[in-house]
């Protein structure tokens, strides 16, 4: 089972920056993609950005050019650098890992507990 520990959320003014981190630990065979999703008040959970083990990235249109996802495979850690933050970026940000457990050939999703990001206007 993998565990995900997120950090880096907080309160920032519009135009500011934050960096989120998510470290994976535990017993698992491998991690394919890692990513960040967010859920605003009264909204569904949406994709922010994902990155594969090979470094291929995917971003939501709303964050392109402002957010950068990166990954340290040796540390099983994914980062989300968020610049030019807007009030509409306010949400709980969840880390996701698409990983393979030991002794099981299937890949499954696992979610972190979430970290609050609040952007004031």
């Amino acid at each position: 089972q993998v565990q995900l520990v997120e950090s880096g959320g907080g309160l920032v003014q519009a135009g500011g920056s934050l960096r989120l981190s998510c470290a994976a630990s535990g017993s698992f065979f491998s991690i394919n993609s890692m990513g960040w999703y967010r859920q605003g008040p009264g909204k569904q959970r949406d994709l922010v950005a994902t990155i594969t083990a090979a470094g291929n990235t995917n971003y939501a249109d709303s964050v392109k050019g402002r957010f950068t996802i990166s990954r340290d495979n040796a540390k099983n850690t994914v980062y989300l650098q968020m610049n030019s933050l807007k009030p509409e970026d306010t949400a709980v940000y969840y880390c996701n890992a698409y990983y393979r457990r030991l002794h099981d050939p299937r890949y499954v999703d696992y979610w972190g507990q979430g970290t609050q990001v609040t952007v004031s206007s």
Side-chain angles (χ1 to χ4, degrees):
Q1 179 82 350
V2 69
Q3 289 86 44
L4 300 176
V5 178
E6 300 146 331
S7 61
L11 173 65
V12 65
Q13 288 188 330
S17 299
L18 283 174
R19 188 190 194 214
L20 305 182
S21 300
C22 173
S25 63
S27 299
F28 51 87
F29 185 81
S30 66
I31 299 177
N32 186 338
S33 66
M34 298 185 76
W36 294 93
Y37 293 72
R38 66 187 181 187
Q39 187 167 15
K43 297 182 179 180
Q44 65 181 21
R45 189 175 298 186
D46 291 325
L47 166 76
V48 177
T50 61
I51 185 168
T52 68
N56 298 310
T57 58
N58 182 42
Y59 293 93
D61 288 341
S62 60
V63 306
K64 286 180 180 177
R66 300 188 298 123
F67 291 9
T68 302
I69 191 170
S70 60
R71 178 171 172 173
D72 185 334
N73 288 331
K75 296 181 179 179
N76 290 315
T77 299
V78 64
Y79 306 95
L80 185 69
Q81 178 65 43
M82 304 185 293
N83 298 329
S84 302
L85 282 160
K86 304 175 181 180
E88 51 263 45
D89 295 317
T90 295
V92 178
Y93 283 69
Y94 295 91
C95 179
N96 171 269
Y98 187 59
Y99 80 106
R100 180 182 165 185
R101 293 168 292 192
L102 297 175
H103 313 301
D104 187 339
R106 298 169 298 174
Y107 280 87
V108 296
D109 284 304
Y110 191 83
W111 296 90
Q113 79 283 359
T115 185
Q116 178 70 44
V117 171
T118 302
V119 184
S120 63
S121 57

